[in-house]
Amino acid sequence: MEFEKQLEEWMKLDYVLPEDLPNIELYMDQVTTFLEEQLKNTKRFEEDKIFTKTMINNYTKNHLLPPSNKKKYSRNHMILLIYIYYLKNFLSISDIKNLLDPLNEHFEDSDMKPSFYQVYDEIFHLEHNHNSSIKKSITEAFNKAANTFSDLEDSNEKEKLQQFAFITLLGYDIYLRKQMIEKMIDQLYQPVQSEKKDKKAKKKK
């Protein structure tokens, strides 16, 4: 029961609710201030920054984020930044670009069905409905780790090794999922990029 309470506390992170996304264009300072306030509890250390001007400019230079409109950023910019914020914790910049490219292609398309906002709204609720499954999986890993090193008499040493077993088990899970995500990106998105390059090359000829 004590672990379940701790897990509940650890999983209480800040999220940007779909309805809280401003549907007006904002200047860079307003964007960083809004996201800093909305996501402040996701930071590991208080001095960490959610986004800086330099970060956002670099995302634009690397084509993860479309340029601002006369130094103003739309709700679509904000949605992309939120995805970048979470994805950059476990994916490379090039993988994030490949993943977001299909979405970016419709950045200015007001007739896109579903719209950027609808995509964000649906995925947001999908993720949050999945929380109970994640909690169950983590609890199972904790219980498995708690049954390791049962022959050790030193309770201190046993506890430390069981904690190590739990962390490495979680790490193994993350590693396998990351491998799967990278293989999916390679298979699903990079061929599309290659086709675009081939088309551009043909046009030049």
Side-chain angles (χ1 to χ4, degrees), residues 3-182:
F3 171 74
E4 288 177 9
K5 286 180 183 177
Q6 181 70 81
L7 184 57
E8 283 283 344
E9 191 62 35
W10 283 338
M11 291 187 70
K12 279 182 185 174
L13 297 176
D14 282 344
Y15 307 95
V16 183
L17 299 171
E19 58 269 26
D20 287 343
L21 283 165
N23 197 18
I24 56 170
E25 291 191 324
L26 302 174
Y27 287 107
M28 176 85 81
D29 285 341
Q30 293 172 306
V31 170
T32 54
T33 300
F34 173 79
L35 292 174
E36 187 73 31
E37 181 59 34
Q38 291 285 315
L39 298 170
K40 62 185 177 184
N41 287 336
T42 64
K43 297 191 293 185
R44 184 175 182 182
F45 302 110
E46 195 174 337
E47 63 271 19
D48 291 344
K49 293 289 183 185
I50 300 296
F51 284 112
T52 64
K53 291 180 183 181
T54 303
M55 287 180 194
I56 294 174
N57 285 331
N58 283 337
Y59 297 145
T60 303
K61 284 178 187 175
N62 287 296
H63 307 292
L64 275 77
L65 191 71
S68 60
N69 178 26
K70 297 176 182 177
K71 297 187 178 181
K72 283 190 172 183
Y73 295 83
S74 66
R75 181 169 68 179
N76 287 359
H77 280 106
M78 199 85 71
I79 288 169
L80 285 172
L81 282 170
I82 292 166
Y83 285 135
I84 291 168
Y85 176 69
Y86 288 115
L87 292 170
K88 70 178 182 176
N89 286 287
F90 56 92
L91 288 180
S92 68
I93 291 296
S94 60
D95 278 340
I96 297 171
K97 183 183 180 303
N98 285 330
L99 191 58
L100 295 181
D101 263 356
L103 203 58
N104 266 325
E105 285 176 10
H106 299 281
F107 188 81
E108 298 293 349
D109 187 358
S110 57
D111 296 325
M112 178 191 174
K113 297 186 190 316
S115 69
F116 259 56
Y117 180 80
Q118 288 170 317
V119 169
Y120 183 78
D121 184 60
E122 181 135 353
I123 291 176
F124 176 89
H125 288 99
L126 176 70
E127 289 170 341
H128 286 263
N129 289 336
H130 189 51
N131 273 354
S132 57
S133 297
I134 295 171
K135 286 176 186 174
K136 184 180 177 183
S137 174
I138 294 172
T139 303
E140 284 176 0
F142 174 79
N143 290 332
K144 284 178 182 176
N147 289 323
T148 58
F149 305 104
S150 54
D151 56 333
L152 286 179
E153 294 181 5
D154 187 324
S155 58
N156 238 358
E157 187 181 2
K158 183 193 288 188
E159 186 180 350
K160 284 179 182 177
L161 284 171
Q162 286 174 341
Q163 285 177 345
F164 178 72
F166 178 45
I167 291 169
T168 52
L169 199 54
L170 291 178
Y172 182 65
D173 183 72
I174 292 166
Y175 173 76
L176 288 179
R177 289 172 190 260
K178 184 175 181 287
Q179 289 282 306
M180 181 180 168
I181 290 168
E182 289 172 347

Side-chain angles (χ1 to χ4, degrees), residues 177-190:
R177 289 172 190 260
K178 184 175 181 287
Q179 289 282 306
M180 181 180 168
I181 290 168
E182 289 172 347
K183 290 183 187 304
M184 287 178 70
I185 290 172
D186 290 344
Q187 185 180 348
L188 297 172
Y189 296 100
Q190 288 191 5

